[in-house]
Amino acid sequence: MVDGPVVAVRGEAYREVPPELARFAVTATARDRSREAVLSRLAERAAAVRVLLDAAEPAVDRRETGDLRVWPQTRRSGERVVAWHGSVATTVTVTDFTALGELMLRLADQDQVEIAGPWWSLRPDSPAHRDARHAAIADALARAREYAAALGARVTALLELADTGPAPQPMFARAAFADGGAESGGPPELDLDPQPQTVHAAVEARFTISEPVLG
């Protein structure tokens, strides 16, 4: 049982910080009437992607092979196969953003390769999350002291503290081709604007306060 009055408050903090990670997907595809030809081409194109990613070390933090799909295309009526399709996707995580645009363009220049992304994010253990949580706690304490002061009282103890902040969401990039690319005879360039990440932390807290002065 709690002795004395209690004040319940919510503390929040918002921060905008630079992203730490950029992820994009690279998908190699193949199509042919022969299933064997599709498998062979798919293996060759996936190997070419791997060679480019190997050359991009150490900018590439990690890469993960996702869906490998091979499926037949049939006529609208019946099960006669008229072609075979295949695809293999790889998710790439990059920490060196200065090399990101060039790497994506090199991959996109490969035969039958699709690129999607990038998606910007923070590391799960980024100090930005801790800083926002600390700021949210400080905000809750400041609010409790304000309410207590308005009543002629003071905060005496913490009864409960709960984290109610949402999970962070990845964000898309804004990408544009720079002037002076292939039309001027030089290699194409891709300008990427890393999108600031919004970090939000929220807490709910209950404090005991001294007896209010209501007279």
Side-chain angles (χ1 to χ4, degrees):
M1 183 176 180
V2 178
D3 294 329
V6 174
V7 60
V9 295
R10 176 180 173 87
E12 292 187 272
Y14 291 88
R15 297 287 188 271
E16 272 201 354
V17 298
E20 298 168 343
L21 302 173
R23 293 183 175 88
F24 66 89
V26 51
T27 304
T29 62
R31 180 182 183 277
D32 197 275
R33 292 184 178 181
S34 165
R35 178 171 54 185
E36 290 73 17
V38 166
L39 295 176
S40 177
R41 292 176 188 175
L42 199 59
E44 291 174 0
R45 289 164 185 169
V49 168
R50 293 184 64 86
V51 169
L52 288 176
L53 294 177
D54 287 341
E57 299 288 354
V60 175
D61 183 67
R62 62 187 300 177
R63 59 192 186 192
E64 301 163 292
T65 301
D67 292 338
L68 170 63
R69 300 182 60 208
V70 178
W71 69 98
Q73 175 185 340
T74 58
R75 292 189 178 277
R76 292 184 179 180
S77 58
E79 297 184 351
R80 181 182 176 186
V81 176
V82 296
W84 286 87
H85 300 261
S87 67
V88 57
T90 302
T91 301
V92 183
T93 303
V94 175
T95 54
D96 182 2
F97 300 158
T98 61
L100 178 59
E102 179 183 358
L103 175 59
M104 292 182 69
L105 283 181
R106 288 183 178 275
L107 289 166
D109 193 44
Q110 299 298 300
D111 187 30
Q112 297 299 311
V113 168
E114 300 176 5
I115 300 291
W119 301 274
W120 308 98
S121 64
L122 297 173
R123 295 183 183 275
D125 59 349
S126 171
H129 299 302
R130 180 192 62 227
D131 294 344
R133 289 191 293 267
H134 287 186
I137 293 172
D139 181 54
L141 181 56
R143 292 186 184 211
R145 286 171 173 166
E146 288 176 4
Y147 288 130
L151 296 170
R154 59 184 177 82
V155 173
T156 57
L158 172 67
L159 290 178
E160 183 180 351
L161 180 67
D163 187 339
T164 60
Q169 298 295 322
M171 305 182 76
F172 283 96
R174 294 169 292 172
F177 282 94
D179 293 335
E183 293 183 358
S184 64
E189 296 181 359
L190 182 63
D191 284 342
L192 296 175
D193 299 324
Q195 190 164 12
Q197 302 296 290
T198 300
V199 181
H200 174 219
V203 297
E204 293 181 354
R206 297 171 65 238
F207 298 90
T208 59
I209 61 175
S210 60
E211 289 297 330
V213 180
L214 303 178

